[in-house]
Amino acid sequence: MSSEPLLRVENLKTQFFTETGTVRAVDGISFEVREGEIVGLVGESGAGKSVASMSLLRLVENPGEIVAGEITYKGETIFGLEEGPDGELQERDDMLSNEEIRTRIRGNEIAVIFQDPMESLNPVFTVGGQLREFIELNRGLSKDEAKTEAIDMLREVGIPDPEERYEEYPHQFSGGMRQRVLIAMALACEPSLIIADEPTTALDVTVEGQILDLVDDLQDKYGTSFIWVTHDMGVVAEICDRVNVMYLGEIVEQAPVDELFYDTKHPYTNALLNSIPRPDRTVTELEAIEGVMPEAINPPSGCRFHPRCPDAREVCKRVHPEAKTVADADGEAHRAACVKHDAFDAGYEDSSMLEGAVGSTEREPESELAVNPAGDDSGGEGRE
Amino acid sequence: MRVVSSGIRLDEDSGYESDDALLELDGVTKYFNQDSGLLAGMEFEPSQFPPISVDRETVKAVDDVTLEIQPGETLGLVGESGCGKSTLGRTILRLLEPTEGDIYFKGENLADLSGERLRQTRSDMQMIFQDPQSSLDPRMKVGQIIEEPMRAHDMLDDEGREARAKELLEKVGLDPRHYNRHPHAFSGGQRQRINLARALSVDPDFVVCDEPVSALDVSIQAQVLNTMEKLQEEFGLTYLFIAHDLSVIRHISDRVAVMYLGNIVELAEKEELFENPQHPYTRALLESIPVPDPRENGARGVLEGEVPSPVDPPSGCRFRTRCPRVIAPDAYDWRGEEWAQTRAFMRAVKRRTFEPMPASRIETEFFDGDLPRGEAGSTVDEAIELIASDRNADIDADDETEHWSAATDLLLESFAEQSICARERPAYELEAEYGDGEHLAACHLHR
Ligand code: SF4
Ligand code: SF4
């Protein structure tokens, strides 16, 4: 029906090989990004959303490794494996080389904006100098042309007095201003896709509002697609067109933003929405989700959410649900990984309630312990 | 309305049986002196040795804050980073000495207390911090951590302290059998529970909670917030809940104070503040929060510019440099859109948000081709002459910068600084629409 998406991710798996075992940080996720849309990748710490987004540019660092799946961007293979003559998996011939990724894709085609701009800016060079050099190198402009372009970009992303600020160092910029500089840098080569990893999380709410507005404007103007990685359902509602909700390395729900909020199909998404205090109305009782997310090193059997799921039944411990289309959202598939839905035909209705299931009874905070006795929720990912 | 104390209270009499405020701040001010840090602040002074002096600047972190906290309530204190909310929290607990002003706890001026009374009061006021990680000593066991404040205040004997620590562990939702574990074995949410137990060990009446859940994941946030509410009821606690997250504030608070650049700009009961905000800053804050509802696409109401430095805050209303509604200076005769246009032009020049362009284009872009009449108009015209590209064709970059700042100064002096917003510090008491509590708004729109 629709033409080839800008980016297609199929069954992507990224693992970290640590002393204590293999951390399945991203465990078989599939999604796509079409031209001009903002796609959300949502989840709590340890869900794997940052690792997933870094995998798209093959930026995963040791001991992490992409072990399976296929990433296609504008018809080119960013990652892909095939079975070799010895039966082992090997990289496909058409997979882009590291060199090609670095020179052609990163920055030029797909740019990244991180949560902490200080990580991406060099503290000993002026902001303008860094931006100018970036433009010079990537767009083949002369020094002077690049400088003019850099000042224009700074103004475009709302840096006041750009001629003056061009000469300043990153520490002289506020957090919001630094994030604007990174947006300028990301846009400088007019990429088709920008991966934004919690870019507004560290910012104050009025500054966050300014940045979200800026992204709206720029997106209108340049038609850039975004993958927006966040834990904030408010931000998701505000800017995303379609959303992928991640839990423990998997995408558990995938839907257009309106359906995600108004026709929620996965109990985790639902629980998440019910647990957040609202700015727009007074909620007297917060429905906390029981327990904490377990580690990706040894995920629970069956549905990974079952130890915390209010709807869990016996079958959920046995059957591992892969996301399936469970509803039609205006011609768009609404997918969820939950055996409750008929599409799974797993006998949920007849399955017995789990012993000690949460049901709708009052949730005791004590249970945070039961799930994760060691209590170490730092996970093995390091990044989130 | 005091909640009945439970058996866990050490001293039933320590409750505050009065209708008066539990805590009262009167003009509390906290300034910090600091080196300006930049070479620019260094001066050569041959008359002294060493012949260099470093500029000391005064950071006006909290300025003239007056408010009351009633027994048993949760007062939410909300504001963006750098607004002074944490400093205020620490000053109340006397972790910082106030530069000026008085703090009364149960009717007594903290500055007048000494000896046993001071010790007693100190144990009555506790604090929990944002980062549960760093506020727990990793070498100590959970039990020791919880008992430490009791030991410091000479409460109970060893056995009594252990029993109380275990009981508290249970109260905050942890397993008393974890008494001998080290904090690293716990998740973020659990560590914040340990902090709660520790703060409660000395049976305080008042707890300052400084961003207690902002480091936690949303699903864990809800668990900890629920526990805090449960404990408040059980222990008859009064909270000062400091946070930047308006949703959390809306959930947990009874009344809310909004802080901006060292001042409280609005204070009202929760429902009143969120449903009937009367200060332009509060409104901007509320409009900026992304609402978790895709069908809610109201204007984001973005604020211009950034928070000014607390070293040199604006006169009068501190929000005036960013306020979308700064009041027109009376000295001029404004018609229709003239003031709104002049204000927008003034800010654009100040922030240099547009490229140099010919005078006629400036007039069209900012004033629809029609400059304000009278004196205001001549001033605007003068400013345009300074920056228009066709009037300054052959000046170099340095001169250009100078012209822009001359134009900025001219506009600010003639307009911004003539407004009542710059001349008087606002403070008004309003009629509440929701509930019957007091509603304070520091904005001259209510004059
Ligand atoms: S599969 Fe079972 S445990 Fe998993 S989300 Fe659905 S109902 Fe809950
Ligand atoms: S006093 Fe003036 S500047 Fe301050 S908030 Fe009110 S209108 Fe705005």
Side-chain angles (χ1 to χ4, degrees):
Chain A
M1 187 180 75
S2 59
S3 56
E4 184 66 8
L6 187 66
L7 177 86
R8 186 207 299 281
V9 178
E10 269 168 291
N11 198 25
L12 176 72
K13 292 188 181 177
T14 304
Q15 304 184 339
F16 288 78
F17 300 96
T18 69
E19 273 172 27
T20 36
T22 304
V23 179
R24 290 149 69 177
V26 174
D27 211 15
I29 63 168
S30 305
F31 68 98
E32 49 184 57
V33 181
R34 298 174 209 141
E35 244 160 77
E37 63 171 1
I38 301 187
V39 172
L41 213 49
V42 201
E44 299 179 87
S45 325
K49 54 196 192 302
S50 281
V51 177
S53 61
M54 288 307 102
S55 302
L56 303 181
L57 277 173
R58 303 210 325 234
L59 285 172
V60 182
E61 278 167 22
N62 236 333
E65 202 183 307
I66 305 177
V67 297
E70 194 172 314
I71 305 169
T72 319
Y73 172 80
K74 286 188 179 170
E76 294 196 276
T77 306
I78 289 186
F79 186 87
L81 300 176
E82 64 186 0
E83 205 164 292
D86 52 358
E88 293 277 296
L89 287 176
Q90 63 178 42
E91 291 174 357
R92 283 203 330 239
D93 282 346
D94 60 349
M95 184 170 128
L96 297 175
S97 68
N98 285 341
E99 177 70 12
E100 283 171 307
I101 292 272
R102 211 175 49 240
T103 55
R104 271 199 311 117
I105 304 294
R106 254 179 242 160
N108 285 300
E109 286 289 345
I110 306 179
V112 195
I113 305 171
F114 293 102
Q115 175 173 347
D116 180 7
M118 273 320 242
E119 269 177 35
S120 317
L121 292 170
N122 190 328
V124 302
F125 295 111
T126 62
V127 166
Q130 295 183 55
L131 187 54
R132 192 210 72 225
E133 194 177 311
F134 185 80
I135 294 171
E136 221 180 301
L137 287 178
N138 285 287
R139 305 230 322 243
L141 296 180
S142 77
K143 205 167 164 173
D144 282 350
E145 286 168 332
K147 177 169 177 179
T148 314
E149 181 70 22
I151 290 175
D152 282 350
M153 290 300 309
L154 288 176
R155 181 174 288 115
E156 166 116 30
V157 296
I159 306 269
D161 211 352
E163 284 89 352
E164 291 272 300
R165 312 268 347 221
Y166 180 90
E167 307 288 348
E168 291 183 1
Y169 292 88
H171 75 264
Q172 290 169 285
F173 280 57
S174 67
M177 286 296 158
R178 286 199 285 261
Q179 204 52 282
R180 285 170 194 265
V181 173
L182 281 214
I183 292 175
M185 216 173 253
L187 285 171
C189 300
E190 302 190 4
S192 304
L193 175 64
I194 293 181
I195 300 173
D197 190 355
E198 303 260 13
T200 59
T201 301
L203 304 176
D204 275 321
V205 49
T206 59
V207 184
E208 175 175 63
Q210 293 172 341
I211 300 279
L212 295 181
D213 264 6
L214 174 67
V215 167
D216 267 355
D217 290 351
L218 294 173
Q219 210 214 359
D220 277 351
K221 187 162 165 194
Y222 297 102
T224 318
S225 304
F226 280 85
I227 294 177
W228 204 276
V229 180
T230 182
H231 69 280
D232 186 332
M233 284 304 217
V235 173
V236 168
E238 197 110 329
I239 64 164
C240 291
D241 299 308
R242 291 186 308 120
V243 190
N244 300 288
V245 180
M246 285 189 78
Y247 185 80
L248 210 51
E250 301 179 316
I251 291 177
V252 295
E253 184 160 6
Q254 188 171 65
V257 68
D258 195 77
E259 277 76 9
L260 188 86
F261 283 79
Y262 281 93
D263 188 21
T264 314
K265 295 290 188 200
H266 197 280
Y268 173 64
T269 315
N270 199 37
L272 206 54
L273 289 171
N274 287 336
S275 71
I276 45 178
R278 311 265 313 197
D280 52 340
R281 57 171 185 257
T282 301
V283 184
T284 14
E285 286 284 328
L286 291 182
E287 292 178 35
I289 309 180
E290 268 218 25
V292 294
M293 185 156 57
E295 288 181 64
I297 214 163
N298 192 9
S301 65
C303 169
R304 293 185 178 177
F305 186 52
H306 88 253
R308 306 174 75 192
C309 179
D311 300 343
R313 297 208 177 163
E314 197 272 326
V315 60
C316 305
K317 280 165 80 170
R318 286 186 284 110
V319 179
H320 178 247
E322 302 271 345
K324 278 196 182 138
T325 303
V326 294
D328 176 80
D330 263 336
E332 203 55 85
H334 186 155
R335 296 152 66 85
C338 171
V339 298
K340 242 170 57 169
H341 298 285
D342 292 344
F344 286 83
D345 203 11
Y348 175 83
E349 288 302 331
D350 304 327
S351 182
S352 55
M353 298 294 272
L354 272 187
E355 186 94 2
V358 211
S360 55
T361 56
E362 203 202 331
R363 278 129 221 223
E364 287 295 321
E366 279 81 350
S367 47
E368 193 185 332
L369 279 170
V371 181
N372 188 7
D376 185 359
D377 63 2
S378 61
E381 295 179 38
R383 188 173 283 281
E384 289 184 344
Chain B
M1 304 116 297
R2 272 191 57 79
V3 190
V4 187
S5 300
S6 72
I8 189 101
R9 305 230 39 181
L10 284 176
D11 177 4
E12 297 291 342
D13 300 333
S14 72
Y16 183 53
E17 310 295 345
S18 162
D19 286 340
D20 294 339
L22 180 73
L23 186 87
E24 223 184 304
L25 308 186
D26 185 10
V28 170
T29 296
K30 179 65 196 172
Y31 291 173
F32 296 98
N33 284 315
Q34 65 169 34
D35 300 341
S36 58
L38 293 172
L39 284 177
M42 219 135 74
E43 268 163 43
F44 182 70
E45 287 187 26
S47 59
Q48 62 175 56
F49 186 85
I52 288 175
S53 78
V54 181
D55 234 10
R56 306 278 289 175
E57 43 184 34
T58 304
V59 179
K60 298 173 178 157
V62 173
D63 217 347
D64 195 11
V65 168
T66 297
L67 56 81
E68 289 180 354
I69 303 181
Q70 305 303 327
E73 79 165 339
T74 298
L75 179 73
L77 182 60
V78 67
E80 297 181 276
S81 40
C83 72
K85 56 189 191 300
S86 284
T87 305
L88 181 59
R90 275 155 224 251
T91 309
I92 290 173
L93 291 188
R94 295 235 144 200
L95 298 175
L96 297 168
E97 199 61 28
T99 308
E100 248 176 79
D102 294 300
I103 302 163
Y104 298 88
F105 186 68
K106 295 183 182 172
E108 288 188 279
N109 192 332
L110 289 185
D112 298 340
L113 296 181
S114 60
E116 186 47 35
R117 293 289 303 138
L118 181 64
R119 261 167 44 92
Q120 176 60 38
T121 308
R122 276 196 192 278
S123 72
D124 264 351
M125 306 169 82
Q126 293 292 314
M127 180 150 189
I128 51 175
F129 298 93
Q130 167 175 2
D131 185 3
Q133 205 102 357
S134 60
S135 49
L136 295 178
D137 186 338
R139 290 159 306 183
M140 283 164 75
K141 291 178 178 166
V142 168
Q144 287 172 290
I145 290 174
I146 298 172
E147 287 164 24
E148 190 194 46
M150 293 191 268
R151 210 170 288 122
H153 286 284
D154 237 346
M155 276 179 178
L156 305 172
D157 54 11
D158 279 355
E159 223 169 280
R161 286 195 283 260
E162 178 170 342
R164 184 169 170 81
K166 287 184 172 164
E167 196 179 349
L168 283 163
L169 275 172
E170 196 159 3
K171 291 279 176 207
V172 299
L174 294 172
D175 189 333
R177 285 169 303 182
H178 295 166
Y179 177 85
N180 277 320
R181 287 206 184 163
H182 288 278
H184 70 254
F186 293 85
S187 68
Q190 292 171 331
R191 287 195 199 110
Q192 202 52 290
R193 293 171 189 278
I194 298 172
N195 266 319
L196 277 166
R198 180 182 135 105
L200 296 185
S201 70
V202 288
D203 195 19
D205 288 320
F206 176 63
V207 183
V208 174
C209 316
D210 190 1
E211 301 271 12
V213 298
S214 51
L216 306 176
D217 263 318
V218 281
S219 70
I220 309 301
Q221 246 184 30
Q223 297 172 352
V224 173
L225 288 172
N226 286 347
T227 302
M228 289 183 70
E229 286 178 306
K230 197 185 88 190
L231 294 170
Q232 175 168 40
E233 215 168 287
E234 188 162 344
F235 286 72
L237 298 171
T238 304
Y239 287 144
L240 174 64
F241 197 103
I242 302 171
H244 70 280
D245 184 330
L246 286 137
S247 313
V248 170
I249 286 284
R250 178 163 196 167
H251 171 68
I252 197 103
S253 310
D254 297 309
R255 290 189 307 139
V256 180
V258 181
M259 213 168 163
Y260 181 80
L261 204 57
N263 290 158
I264 303 279
V265 296
E266 187 159 10
L267 194 159
E269 282 181 359
K270 160 169 78 183
E271 216 56 32
E272 169 78 1
L273 189 108
F274 279 86
E275 295 301 329
N276 184 31
Q278 290 300 321
H279 194 284
Y281 177 63
T282 311
R283 289 196 178 165
L285 262 188
L286 292 178
E287 280 164 12
S288 303
I289 330 171
V291 178
D293 180 352
R295 291 183 190 172
E296 172 84 40
N297 42 17
R300 223 168 267 142
V302 157
L303 268 188
E304 290 174 83
E306 305 213 306
V307 187
S309 159
V311 170
D312 187 19
S315 62
C317 168
R318 291 194 169 176
F319 185 53
R320 71 177 165 88
T321 53
R322 307 172 73 198
C323 179
R325 301 188 59 193
V326 180
I327 297 167
D330 297 335
Y332 307 90
D333 194 12
W334 303 100
R335 279 166 239 238
E337 289 297 291
E338 287 178 354
W339 166 240
Q341 291 169 336
T342 306
R343 183 172 59 201
F345 175 61
M346 174 174 79
R347 288 201 174 142
V349 173
K350 179 178 159 210
R351 294 164 32 80
R352 213 169 162 177
T353 50
F354 60 99
E355 287 172 68
M357 47 173 93
S360 59
R361 243 191 85 204
I362 298 182
E363 284 171 32
T364 337
E365 290 229 336
F366 289 93
F367 298 94
D368 283 338
D370 253 339
L371 291 193
R373 270 152 280 206
E375 215 189 313
S378 354
T379 309
V380 169
D381 196 43
E382 216 179 302
I384 293 178
E385 289 293 315
L386 280 165
I387 55 169
S389 55
D390 51 344
R391 306 286 197 275
N392 303 280
D394 39 291
I395 59 172
D396 64 20
D398 283 348
D399 283 345
E400 190 183 304
T401 304
E402 230 162 76
H403 280 207
W404 279 79
S405 45
T408 304
D409 290 346
L410 174 69
L411 293 168
L412 290 182
E413 272 161 33
S414 316
F415 301 120
E417 278 150 35
Q418 301 306 318
S419 163
I420 181 174
C421 301
R423 310 192 131 232
E424 281 172 40
R425 185 162 166 210
Y428 300 91
E429 198 173 333
L430 318 174
E431 196 82 29
E433 255 181 50
Y434 297 77
D436 46 14
E438 62 171 1
H439 187 161
L440 306 173
C443 171
H444 290 304
L445 289 170
H446 302 286
R447 80 198 130 138

